[in-house]
Amino acid sequence: MGDTSVSRLFILYSAVICSLCAPIRSTAQQPPSVYAITQAKIVTLTGAPIEDGTLIIKDGKIAAVGAGVDVPAGAQIIDGKGLQVYPGLFDPVTQMGLSEIGAVSATVDSSETGAYNPDVIAATAVLPSSQHIPVTRAAGITEVLAVPGSGGFDFSGNSSVIGGQVSAFHLAGWTIEDMQIKRSVAMVLNWPQIQTRTFDFATFTRKEKPYSDAKQEYDKQVNELTDLMDRARHYAQAIGHGGPSDFERDVKLEALAPVVRGQLPMLVFANHARDIRNAVEFCEKQKLKMILAGGGEAYKVKDLLRSKGIPVVLGPVLSNPDEEDDPYDRMLSQPAELSQAGVKFAIGSFDNSFARRLGQNAANAISHGLSYDEGLKAVTLYPAQIFGLADQFGTLETGKTANVIVTNGDPLELTTDVKYLFIKGQLTSTDNKQKRLYEKYLNRPKP
């Protein structure tokens, strides 16, 4: 058979295959673009709850919310009678997608070598198929920040001074491009400490260091950081002036340019009051927009934080106090103290495996003096406001991204189930590995 005959036969065969596949493509079911949640209690966080309300989701956005809202023709209706509707929870500090099994280094990509890594962006390392993601979203968490080099239970690796750039993403999607909300929302700075006691992993013993030596090391780190910021400022001024030959490109300084311009906030990890004060002073001198993370002793400098307008992302309140003489409930009562002082704060899990307990951290803060509204906003609206995403998330309002949860109770309570979960306006499964294991062993054959 000649080449021409073979070519004609191939074209004919291809045409037949395409004609057979065409009906399959045309009849494939597409997910609905319009949903209506009716007869539910809707907690919008913009006012009083709507006791018998309707929420309309269309093309990924909240199209309408209120009492007596008309249901569009063709909408998939979810009967919300006896159920409650809330904005999805927002975890502002995690290693989600950066760490799978903390004890297996090959599955951990939450930090880089070297002390200064401003050019590292968390989104480039996020694993969309991480098993932690479906477990976390089943708890009602719909969006998170992946924070490189931020410590926490799941963290392992180098502790950089500048850990890299924080990325915001939805907890649903095939690729990070599908999931991504904003590639860079903050720069991580682990504020240096004066450490007189270190731990030697080779001998598993603690070593004491003279204060003068520890202070000298601290001063050296702060001076290096100051020099880096000064060089970044000069670099930022040079960008756009002259030709490419006028200066040598430096990706680290280029990454810091939005920070020194005040366009990208610095997420500063510090716990002790002395470190927090030093970090505030540094950021003020460098004209940096600061967000405090951790803040174990933020209550000691609450007046300073309020006067400077510095928000705080608190670590999990279900943790031990920093000092042995502190009251056992020091972390539990701190959110109420900051709230009463007028300090804006959010609560983060600072973890991966335990991100699912974000709501319960807020609930325990409420049981120790924080108002319920403030506790709920600390894991929904306030993280969105602190990181500049409140135009999309945090409340149930027309035009906002439809990251919505429908529950059979208070989403901060451990016993509450998420009945329906919407991410970017699409009904998303709450199935996960832990649920499958539970059902498997619940139904195991009886002896």
Side-chain angles (χ1 to χ4, degrees), residues 26 36 155 265 272 291:
S26 63
F155 177 76
H272 297 293
I291 301 170

Side-chain angles (χ1 to χ4, degrees), residues 134-156:
V135 173
T136 302
R137 72 178 178 226
I141 299 168
T142 54
E143 63 273 353
V144 302
L145 301 185
V147 184
S150 59
F153 182 82
D154 294 294
F155 177 76
S156 65

